[in-house]
Structures are given as structure tokens and as C-alpha cells.
Amino acid sequence: MAVHMPLARLLLVHRLLRTSTSGQLRLRSSDVLRECRRGARTLSTFPVRRSESQGDGSDPSPLGGLRRLLPQDALFPEVSQLRDPEEDASVAGSDAHGEDAHVATREEGDRPPEASAPAALPGESSLAFGELLVAEHHKKRRVEFRKMFELRAGARLQSNWGAVAHDDVAGRPAGCFLKSSRGVRFLVRRASLEDYALYMKRGPAITYPKDASTMLMMMDVTEGDRVLESGSGSGAMSLFLSRAVGFKGSVLSVEVREDHHRRAVLNYKRWRQSWSLRRGEEWPDNVQFHIHDLSEASALLANQGFHAVALDLIHPQLVLPTVVPHLYPGAVCAVYLANITQVIDLLEGLRCLRLPLLCERIMEVQLRDWVVAAALQKDGSHCVRKAPVLDRREEASADGEETSTEGHPAFGSIPYIARPHPEQMSHTAFLVKLRKYVQ
């Protein structure tokens, strides 16, 4: 019976093809190919061929299912013992049937059901209404869709790849896959602070997470510190500082524009609300937002000392005379500047004002993502890693002689390449590290 059903399906596809050629029924070729693949997969004893570029994310490895490019004898013993012998035999069987440059992977949505659901970990919580989530869809090792949204009852997540009802998301564990109305799989997870800073509503440009983390290291901010921030902006840096100082510390954030101040406060409150739903505990309420010009805020800073200062201003040299007296000796002032002209103006201002500040570092943080993919030869076929060949120097290594790296799996013929991701983030800012010294 298991054999007759696929045959009947193939006969049905054949009839549909004949009907479509006569003009009575129009059937897309992609649908026909999909039906043929399903029938062939059920009939055959060896898996279906699939190109590496058609991976659906079932294999977390960047190489997908291209395991036959890495022969067993070309792997380190620590990696070789992790392989599944049955899967290796399946790949070898596909090669015996003449499958070249392709490998076996399951079609999307055809994964076998799990025997039993894993037990919940202590403290694990399901997704609840009011949380901030991120939905993303990957295709060919690229992010085709990513969106942050608040989980609300009765709402729907809309995209060009279909819609997902929020009610279907609530109650599920974080990091789950859901299918849209068009059958596209979305990964739904909780939004991290980095996600929130990048996708929250903003007025002015934000301090990007890569720069914010570097500024935190520059200032050496730790729990219990008191930090001064000038230029609240959209509130991104305020949140990173809030997490760094914790419940024992405090952040004083000053903004001269009322609209920027309002946006920073709203973003700060929205993140704290989502955090309380996620963890069941409050995010530290340790940021005080003020609308004020820091160059004229001597009364606001009176009788206060700060372990660090973060400045995101067009002309930071104008506020330094007010800030430096309230900075502890040896503490750092990290300045975020958009262009090199502002850096020059800052250094000239330091020279003219004769402030007790040392310019220790001026840097730009580059972010480079990498893509690891199967290497192709000129004829279009995939490269295959060759087994290591011991030369005379390697054979003599047992006698204590110097060994050679030629033919070694890590240095020989490698069937995959690593290259920078084509979509790189452009320049964001220059970071200037100033340290207060004692006269």
C-alpha cells in the first residue's frame, strides 16, 4: 500500500501536466516539481538531491548538508567521532547513485515529529502578551525579513511572506519556528537589548550597540557607578548604561531638546515594561532624565561626582569645562563624534581650554560579518577536502624532528571558503577617550 500511493500521485501529476498543455488547467511549474519531489522521495530508498543554496536552516552549520565534501579520513579525530555513521552511509549511498555536487537534506516542513517534548528548564517562561519579540526569516544564509513587534491579543504580524497571528505565538517557548499564512517559516524569539536599540522608534540617530559596548569598556563602567550622559537622544545609550550600573548605580541623562527627551523616556519605559513581563522582575529604575543645557547645568551637577561621562554632542568641547570638575580623578570621558572634523575641533578645544584631560585614544569600531560557504571550482563543481598526506618530515616527527603543515587538514585542500559579508555597515562614529589627570 505504501508503494501504490506514490504511484497514484505520480499518475495524477502526469495527468495534470497533460491537461495544462491543452489549456484546460494552468498549473505552475514550481508546484509540479514540488509534487514530483514528494513522490520521488517516498518511492526512493536514497534521499532527494538538494542544492546547498536551498537549505532551510535545518542544519545549523554554514555548510548545510555538504558533509560528503569532508571525507571521514580528512577530519580531526575529535570531529570525526561526532558524526552519525547512519547519515554517512546515506550520503555514501547517494554518491553511489551518481549524485554529484548535491547532498541529502530534508525538505522544509518534513522533519520527523519529536518523540516527546523536552522538559522545561527551571525559570523558563513562555511568550506572553506585552513582550517585545523579533520575527525573522532566513534564506540562503541571508536575513530576508526581520521585524520587532509587541505581542498583542488579536493582532497579526504582516509581511510579504505571509501573516502570523499573535495568538498563535502566545504561550509558545522563545526561539520557536512558526509558519505564516503562505507556509514560510519564521523564527520568533525575544528581543535583546541590541535588537531593541536598533529597531525601536527613534528621533535622532542612536549610539549603535557596537559603539556603545566599546564606550562601556573605555569608561570601565561597573555595578554601583554613577555616570553622566549628555545627549539622551533616543535613549539607546541610556539603556546600556542602566544595565551596566545595575540597581546600586545611577545614570544622569541630560538632553537639551524636549522632543528627544520625550522619545528617550518613552523608549526607556517600554523596555522596562517588556523586561518585567519576561523575567518577572523589575529592570532597575536608575536613569534620571532631565531637559537642560549641560554647559549651563552647574546647579544640576552641584555636589555630585561621577565615575564616568558619556558625551554625544555636536560640540562636546563647550560642555567640558562644566563636566570635568565633577569627574573623579583618573576617570574617563568617552565622546561619540560623527566625523573627523568634530574630532579636530574637540582636540583644539582641549588645547585652548587647558583642561586636565589626556586624549588617550581615537578609534573607529568596524563590524565585519563573515560568510562560510562551499568552495566552487572553475567548472562549477564543489571542492572536496583531500585526506592528509604525511611527508617525510611528518613521518620523522615521531623521532622528535620538526614537522610540516603540508597536507594537514587545517592547511591542505579546504572545500569551503570564508569571505566578508557583502552587506557591511558603513561608518557610524569616531570614539574619543579622554582621561582626567591631577595637576
Side-chain angles (χ1 to χ4, degrees), residues 159-311:
S159 72
N160 293 334
W161 290 266
V164 177
H166 287 202
D167 294 339
D168 295 338
V169 180
R172 292 179 177 268
C176 63
F177 281 93
L178 292 175
K179 282 192 174 183
S180 68
S181 56
R182 297 182 56 182
V184 178
R185 298 173 69 247
F186 285 90
L187 173 64
V188 180
R189 56 180 177 82
R190 289 186 170 99
S192 64
L193 184 55
E194 177 185 9
D195 296 322
Y196 185 70
L198 292 175
Y199 297 107
M200 66 184 184
K201 293 183 180 180
R202 63 178 71 169
I206 63 169
T207 302
Y208 281 86
K210 68 180 185 67
D211 298 321
S213 59
T214 304
M215 293 176 68
L216 291 176
M217 288 188 293
M218 279 184 173
M219 297 181 290
D220 194 26
V221 178
T222 186
E223 185 177 4
D225 286 354
R226 291 190 300 274
V227 182
L228 172 64
E229 178 195 17
S230 181
S232 304
S234 298
M237 191 64 192
S238 304
L239 284 167
F240 284 105
L241 290 172
S242 174
R243 182 171 65 178
V245 301
F247 286 94
K248 299 180 181 179
S250 63
V251 178
L252 178 61
S253 184
V254 182
E255 173 59 52
V256 67
R257 291 185 52 169
E258 183 177 355
D259 54 341
H260 293 178
H261 165 82
R262 184 165 53 251
R263 171 51 55 192
V265 172
L266 290 176
N267 286 336
Y268 178 71
K269 291 182 178 180
R270 189 186 184 196
W271 174 257
R272 293 186 68 243
Q273 292 173 357
S274 177
W275 180 266
S276 62
L277 293 173
R278 175 194 304 188
R279 294 295 183 92
E281 58 184 19
E282 293 292 330
W283 178 276
D285 188 10
N286 52 13
V287 181
Q288 301 176 8
F289 294 94
H290 291 273
I291 305 176
H292 218 294
D293 185 355
L294 191 58
S295 60
E296 303 174 356
S298 299
L300 180 64
L301 304 180
N303 300 324
Q304 294 193 59
F306 299 97
H307 297 90
V309 175
L311 301 180

Side-chain angles (χ1 to χ4, degrees), residues 5 11 17 23 31 34 38 66 128 133 155-156 158 169 173 195 201 207 213 236 251 288 316 335 360 412 414-415 438:
M5 290 300 294
L11 290 176
L17 284 172
D31 298 333
R34 189 180 300 109
R38 290 177 181 174
L66 299 177
L133 308 180
R156 294 173 65 86
Q158 302 290 346
V169 180
D195 296 322
K201 293 183 180 180
T207 302
S213 59
V251 178
Q288 301 176 8
V335 187
E360 292 189 349
I414 300 179
V438 179

Side-chain angles (χ1 to χ4, degrees), residues 280-427:
E281 58 184 19
E282 293 292 330
W283 178 276
D285 188 10
N286 52 13
V287 181
Q288 301 176 8
F289 294 94
H290 291 273
I291 305 176
H292 218 294
D293 185 355
L294 191 58
S295 60
E296 303 174 356
S298 299
L300 180 64
L301 304 180
N303 300 324
Q304 294 193 59
F306 299 97
H307 297 90
V309 175
L311 301 180
D312 184 4
L313 304 170
I314 298 178
H315 304 292
Q317 61 274 10
L318 300 182
V319 303
L320 286 176
T322 305
V323 170
V324 171
H326 300 274
L327 188 62
Y328 291 132
V332 171
C333 173
V335 187
Y336 185 91
L337 297 172
N339 55 68
I340 196 63
T341 304
Q342 291 176 289
V343 176
I344 297 173
D345 291 342
L346 172 62
L347 298 179
E348 181 63 15
L350 292 176
R351 188 188 68 83
C352 298
L353 294 172
R354 301 182 182 277
L355 296 174
L357 292 174
L358 296 176
C359 181
E360 292 189 349
R361 196 172 189 183
I362 302 173
M363 63 182 300
E364 177 187 13
V365 180
Q366 295 286 347
L367 181 64
R368 174 178 292 181
D369 293 323
W370 285 82
V371 174
V372 179
L376 293 177
Q377 298 180 357
K378 292 183 178 180
D379 58 359
S381 61
H382 291 294
C383 298
V384 179
R385 175 183 284 180
K386 299 179 181 179
V389 179
L390 298 177
D391 58 12
R392 294 181 179 178
R393 286 175 292 177
E394 289 179 320
E395 292 175 352
S397 61
D399 299 330
E401 299 181 8
E402 183 181 359
T403 61
S404 171
T405 58
E406 296 179 4
H408 194 277
F411 301 94
S413 177
I414 300 179
Y416 52 88
I417 58 174
R419 61 180 182 272
H421 197 281
E423 297 180 0
Q424 295 296 320
M425 179 179 291
S426 59
H427 167 77

Side-chain angles (χ1 to χ4, degrees), residues 6-227:
L7 289 175
R9 184 181 299 175
L10 289 177
L11 290 176
L12 176 60
V13 173
H14 178 66
R15 291 178 182 176
L16 292 176
L17 284 172
R18 294 183 59 184
T19 307
S20 62
T21 56
S22 62
Q24 297 178 4
L25 179 64
R26 296 181 179 179
L27 188 64
R28 295 186 302 176
S29 59
S30 59
D31 298 333
V32 175
L33 290 175
R34 189 180 300 109
E35 291 296 328
C36 291
R37 287 175 180 172
R38 290 177 181 174
R41 183 172 62 253
T42 310
L43 279 172
S44 61
T45 57
F46 56 92
V48 179
R49 295 182 299 174
R50 286 194 73 208
S51 170
E52 177 268 339
S53 63
Q54 292 175 325
D56 62 344
S58 59
D59 192 338
S61 169
L63 296 181
L66 299 177
R67 39 187 307 115
R68 75 182 192 86
L69 301 181
L70 301 172
Q72 190 79 10
D73 53 359
L75 297 174
F76 287 107
E78 295 80 3
V79 180
S80 178
Q81 64 184 359
L82 299 178
R83 279 192 165 183
D84 185 3
E86 296 181 0
E87 190 172 356
D88 284 336
S90 174
V91 175
S94 65
D95 292 340
H97 286 80
E99 296 194 28
D100 54 326
H102 293 281
V103 293
T105 56
R106 291 188 178 92
E107 291 284 348
E108 183 174 339
D110 292 337
R111 295 177 178 81
E114 297 182 359
S116 60
L121 297 173
E124 181 179 349
S125 60
S126 302
L127 301 178
F129 292 117
E131 286 194 69
L132 293 172
L133 308 180
V134 173
E136 54 189 14
H137 168 57
H138 296 259
K139 184 178 180 182
K140 298 180 181 180
R141 300 185 304 273
R142 295 168 62 94
V143 178
E144 295 289 333
F145 172 81
R146 179 178 289 156
K147 183 177 181 180
M148 186 180 70
F149 64 98
E150 181 180 344
L151 193 61
R152 296 177 296 171
R156 294 173 65 86
L157 173 66
Q158 302 290 346
S159 72
N160 293 334
W161 290 266
V164 177
H166 287 202
D167 294 339
D168 295 338
V169 180
R172 292 179 177 268
C176 63
F177 281 93
L178 292 175
K179 282 192 174 183
S180 68
S181 56
R182 297 182 56 182
V184 178
R185 298 173 69 247
F186 285 90
L187 173 64
V188 180
R189 56 180 177 82
R190 289 186 170 99
S192 64
L193 184 55
E194 177 185 9
D195 296 322
Y196 185 70
L198 292 175
Y199 297 107
M200 66 184 184
K201 293 183 180 180
R202 63 178 71 169
I206 63 169
T207 302
Y208 281 86
K210 68 180 185 67
D211 298 321
S213 59
T214 304
M215 293 176 68
L216 291 176
M217 288 188 293
M218 279 184 173
M219 297 181 290
D220 194 26
V221 178
T222 186
E223 185 177 4
D225 286 354
R226 291 190 300 274
V227 182

